[in-house]
Every structure is written in structure tokens, then in C-alpha cells.
Amino acid sequence: DIVMTQIPLSSPVTLGQPASISCRSSHSLEHSNGNTYLSWLQQRPGQPPRLLIYKISNRFPGVPERFSGSGAGTDFTLKISRVEAEDVGIYYCMQAAQFPRTFGQGTKLEI
Amino acid sequence: QVQLQESGPGLVKPSETLSLTCSVSGVSISSYFWSWIRQPPGKGLEWIGYMYYSGNPDYTPSLENRVTISLDTSKNQFYLNMSSVTATDTAVYYCAGYTATTQTPDLWGQGTLVTVSS
């Protein structure tokens, strides 16, 4: 299985300031079809996860523009340009290059 | 509006079989891939397996000898059965759907807590 490692596991942030979460995979997530399948999900307290970003940098419909993804190969980053109160929650990276899908441990974003 | 709803017993005895149903409304079950994902209390997400209506299911290796995923297109439902459960299977179980484009669940049920206890 591909191991996903997130840094940090907890991130205190200030409203209106940027935030960044890193994710590293144990193997390249580049598929033979040329796509790199790294996704980011947000889980607000008491809610199911929600897809934010897929294939490194594609925002899912309805996701605010302040969320952006970048990276390549085995190193990826989720950035929030200006944190809002509703962004509190746990963020997971997930690899979709191979089965079984695997998730990072989660990063808790706290105001 | 697409909705996914998990249903099943909230309490299962050790060594018995956990059975859950995901009822899908607002979209045809044949148009998505369907997965089960679980989350132990206070912990992270674990992929259990997935199925597409025209293919065979695929399971995470650590669970594949105890898990069966199936679906019924006529009822627009899919199912999870997990045998020989222990306390470590206590978790919130989510059903989720995704497309070939995202390869990541973008449709989620609210989740159902299953507790394994005698």
C-alpha cells in the first residue's frame, strides 16, 4: 500500500492569514495515463469528508478559490490563501493512483 | 439532489457479521463507482473497498477475507458485509461515490456509527 504522510498534524492559524499543509507519498502518484492522483478532503466537525481538490490542483465545483493545490510526484501542498472561520476542521490527503486508496493521518486546522 | 443514506444495526456482537446498506437517490447507481470508508472514533479514514456496477469489487488487503461489497441496480442500493467483527471494527461507516474523473469520493453519506460490543 502507498503510505501518505502529512505535515503538520496540527496547525494553529489566524483568521485572514494563509495556511499550508504538506503531504508526501511513499511512491509516485503519477498514473500510467499521465494523471497524478492526489486529492484533498476537508472534514468539518461532525460532518462527513468533502472533496476539495483532485488530481493535485483541480478544485471540485463549489470549492472556494482560496483553496489551491500544488505539487508533483511524491510531494504535494494544500494552501488556503486567507483562512476563514468555516475552514476549521481536519484535512486529509488521499492517493487515488492505486488500490487500496490510502489517506494521510489528517491535519487539524485550528483558529 | 443526490443523497446517500447508510442504514443498519448500530450495535453488533463480536464474531458476528456487520451488514450495512447504502440507499442512493438522485443519481443512477450505474453512473458512479461506489465505496465504503470507515473512521474509528477520533481517528482517520480507512478505505474498505469499492465496486462498479459492471465489474468485480475490490477490497483493501487487510480486510478482504472478511468483507463483501455488492450492489443492486434495481434498488439503487449497495451493501457492505463484514464478518467476524471485533472491537477494532467499531467505527463510523461511510458510503461514498466517485467518478472516473476525480477518482476520489465526492458524494458522501452522513455516516453510521457501528459499535462492536457484547
Side-chain angles (χ1 to χ4, degrees):
Chain A
D1 298 1
I2 296 178
V3 177
M4 306 298 290
T5 304
Q6 289 181 228
I7 298 172
L9 298 184
S10 178
S11 179
V13 295
T14 303
L15 292 177
Q17 294 299 304
S20 178
I21 301 169
S22 296
C23 176
R24 177 168 289 179
S25 60
S26 60
H27 297 75
S28 172
L29 302 185
E30 185 172 354
H31 194 272
S32 56
N33 65 12
N35 290 311
T36 299
Y37 289 103
L38 184 283
S39 303
W40 291 96
L41 300 100
Q42 174 197 61
Q43 188 174 31
R44 292 171 172 151
Q47 295 294 312
R50 166 198 178 198
L51 176 60
L52 296 177
I53 303 280
Y54 64 96
K55 288 193 287 188
I56 303 178
S57 58
N58 293 270
R59 263 189 309 275
F60 191 69
V63 174
E65 290 185 1
R66 64 180 182 275
F67 290 94
S68 64
S70 62
T74 61
D75 288 282
F76 307 94
T77 303
L78 174 70
K79 291 183 179 177
I80 308 173
S81 59
R82 289 178 302 278
V83 173
E84 298 190 5
E86 66 179 17
D87 299 336
V88 165
I90 301 176
Y91 291 78
Y92 295 93
C93 60
M94 190 199 94
Q95 66 81 16
Q98 292 183 16
F99 288 104
R101 307 299 196 221
T102 47
F103 298 88
Q105 316 96 302
T107 296
K108 190 171 187 178
L109 202 69
E110 302 171 292
I111 305 296
Chain B
Q1 182 183 356
V2 180
Q3 288 191 317
L4 280 64
Q5 181 65 58
E6 303 91 349
S7 59
L11 181 64
V12 181
K13 289 182 168 57
S15 80
E16 295 190 343
T17 296
L18 177 164
S19 296
L20 296 175
T21 298
C22 183
S23 298
V24 180
S25 60
V27 68
S28 169
I29 203 164
S30 60
S31 58
Y32 275 74
F33 297 83
W34 299 102
S35 59
W36 287 96
I37 294 162
R38 68 180 181 179
Q39 186 171 36
K43 296 190 177 180
L45 301 166
E46 181 183 21
W47 182 270
I48 298 171
Y50 88 100
M51 185 167 186
Y52 189 58
Y53 81 102
S54 63
N56 294 319
D58 182 271
Y59 309 116
T60 197
S62 62
L63 298 172
E64 65 181 345
N65 62 342
R66 296 195 293 128
V67 168
T68 302
I69 294 175
S70 59
L71 60 79
D72 187 331
T73 55
S74 67
K75 294 182 178 179
N76 234 38
Q77 292 178 332
F78 67 108
Y79 312 99
L80 172 69
N81 283 285
M82 181 180 294
S83 62
S84 306
V85 296
T86 70
T88 58
D89 295 313
T90 293
V92 174
Y93 285 76
Y94 293 103
C95 60
Y98 64 95
T99 66
T101 299
T102 66
Q103 292 291 333
T104 304
D106 57 82
L107 300 175
W108 291 78
Q110 283 299 307
T112 186
L113 174 63
V114 179
T115 302
V116 179
S117 175
S118 55

